[in-house]
Structures are given as C-alpha cells and as structure tokens.
Amino acid sequence: MNRKILLHVLLLLLISTAFSGCIGVNRNFKKIRRAVTENIDVKYNKSFEFSVGRTGLMLAGMVVRLSDVEEPVDDILSEVSRIQVGVYEKASGNLNTTMADLNRITDEMNSQGWRYIVRSVQRDEVVGVFVRGDDPRLRQLYVIAIDSNEMVLVEIHGELSKIVEIAIREKGLKFETAGNHY
C-alpha cells in the first residue's frame, strides 16, 4: 500500500514538472548559447539554466496577487507563455568584444530567424535584443547581455506587444535615458 502511494506521488510530481515547463532549456536555447560563446574570447561556466512554462508562470502570478506589489506584475505574467533563462559566470579570458564579434553573433541569430532591435558594444559590455521573424505582433524576444563577469541569456514567449501596452498604460511614456527624464 505504501509503495503504491509513493508511486502515485512520484508520478504526480513528474507530470506536474513536465506540464509546468521546469525541466530545462530547449535545444534552440542551447544552440544560441553555443553560438554566442563561440564568437567571444571568454569562457563561461553555467551557474544555472531554467525554463518556466505557462503553468509555472500561472503559479507565480498567483503568488504575486497575494503579495502587496503595486506594479502590474500579475497582468504582465498572464501574457507570458514561456521564459528560458541562463546565467553563466566567467571562467577565463578577458572580455574585449568588438562590433565585429557582435556582428557574428547577429549573423548567427539571423540564420535562426531572429533580427536585432537593439545592439550595443562597450569596453566591458555587450548587449543584444532580438525579436523573432517579421510578425508585427511581438511574440518572442531574446536578450543577450555579457559583461566582464557573467553572461545572461533570456528568451521570452507570449503576447509581448500586450506587455508593452500594459507598461505604457501604467507608466506612460516617461523613460529615463542617459540621466535624462522624458
């Protein structure tokens, strides 16, 4: 009897993990990670990688609703269907990335159907924000951020154009850019 209950609990945990999307990042995420690391001179060790699907995001939204947060986080989370995140700590090498390195990363992203909307290279920092395809509705976003200590990759799926609408509705068009307030 105890063995049967234990088997049911383990089966329930396995099924809930599979449906929440918390198993790990997918093959495409790993392919982009590999392409990025092959185009820079720094070696990174994985700190963590995870993926959260719709069920996990729904549970996070429930927790946010119970908290005393004034931001529309639960509205934003309801529009996201999947998030994949990877954080990697520098193992060796010095970040001395040029625009040519970022162009190689951009070419690889283009070959996989991503196009950049923001790219920046500074002495010790590289940032690229990419969107998927030419669909006017923003549904997929990929962020690559590399500095002298770590690399962060984030992929977001969902109705991201609605998230932009929520942000503008809640905060207006007041953005802080380079110390200037608009």
Side-chain angles (χ1 to χ4, degrees):
M1 182 72 171
N2 288 338
R3 188 177 279 202
K4 189 174 181 179
I5 291 172
L6 180 62
L7 182 62
H8 280 84
V9 169
L10 288 174
L11 186 60
L12 180 64
L13 286 172
L14 179 65
I15 289 172
S16 65
T17 302
F19 285 120
S20 69
C22 292
I23 295 175
V25 296
N26 66 21
R27 184 179 316 135
N28 292 330
F29 189 90
K30 291 176 183 176
K31 185 176 180 182
I32 291 173
R33 178 193 66 211
R34 188 172 35 257
V36 170
T37 57
E38 288 173 355
N39 283 294
I40 56 177
D41 293 331
V42 180
K43 301 300 176 208
Y44 292 92
N45 292 326
K46 178 172 51 173
S47 292
F48 62 86
E49 288 180 334
F50 68 90
S51 173
V52 180
R54 189 170 297 279
T55 304
L57 291 165
M58 183 180 69
L59 293 172
M62 289 171 47
V63 170
V64 167
R65 276 187 226 96
L66 295 174
S67 68
D68 191 24
V69 176
E70 293 182 22
E71 302 295 324
V73 178
D74 57 336
D75 291 340
I76 292 171
L77 285 176
S78 70
E79 299 300 336
V80 177
S81 59
R82 181 178 179 89
I83 297 175
Q84 298 187 94
V85 177
V87 176
Y88 313 89
E89 296 294 324
K90 182 176 92 169
S92 65
N94 292 317
L95 187 64
N96 189 17
T97 305
T98 65
M99 196 61 180
D101 299 324
L102 186 55
N103 285 337
R104 284 193 303 276
I105 293 169
T106 300
D107 290 343
E108 180 62 35
M109 295 296 285
N110 286 337
S111 74
Q112 295 186 37
W114 296 91
R115 61 183 172 87
Y116 76 89
I117 57 174
V118 176
R119 296 186 311 170
S120 172
V121 175
Q122 294 180 357
R123 283 176 287 162
D124 60 349
E125 186 176 87
V126 176
V127 176
V129 179
F130 299 85
V131 294
R132 184 72 141 193
D134 294 325
D135 187 355
R137 295 178 66 185
L138 184 59
R139 294 178 189 250
Q140 294 182 29
L141 183 77
Y142 205 106
V143 179
I144 300 169
I146 306 168
D147 68 20
S148 58
N149 296 317
E150 68 181 2
M151 175 174 70
V152 177
L153 306 176
V154 179
E155 184 178 8
I156 305 171
H157 296 250
E159 292 295 332
L160 305 180
S161 56
K162 290 184 180 179
I163 293 173
V164 172
E165 290 175 23
I166 292 168
I168 291 172
R169 181 183 72 229
E170 295 295 320
K171 296 294 183 182
L173 293 174
K174 298 175 185 172
F175 297 103
E176 185 177 332
T177 307
N180 300 320
H181 298 279
Y182 295 102

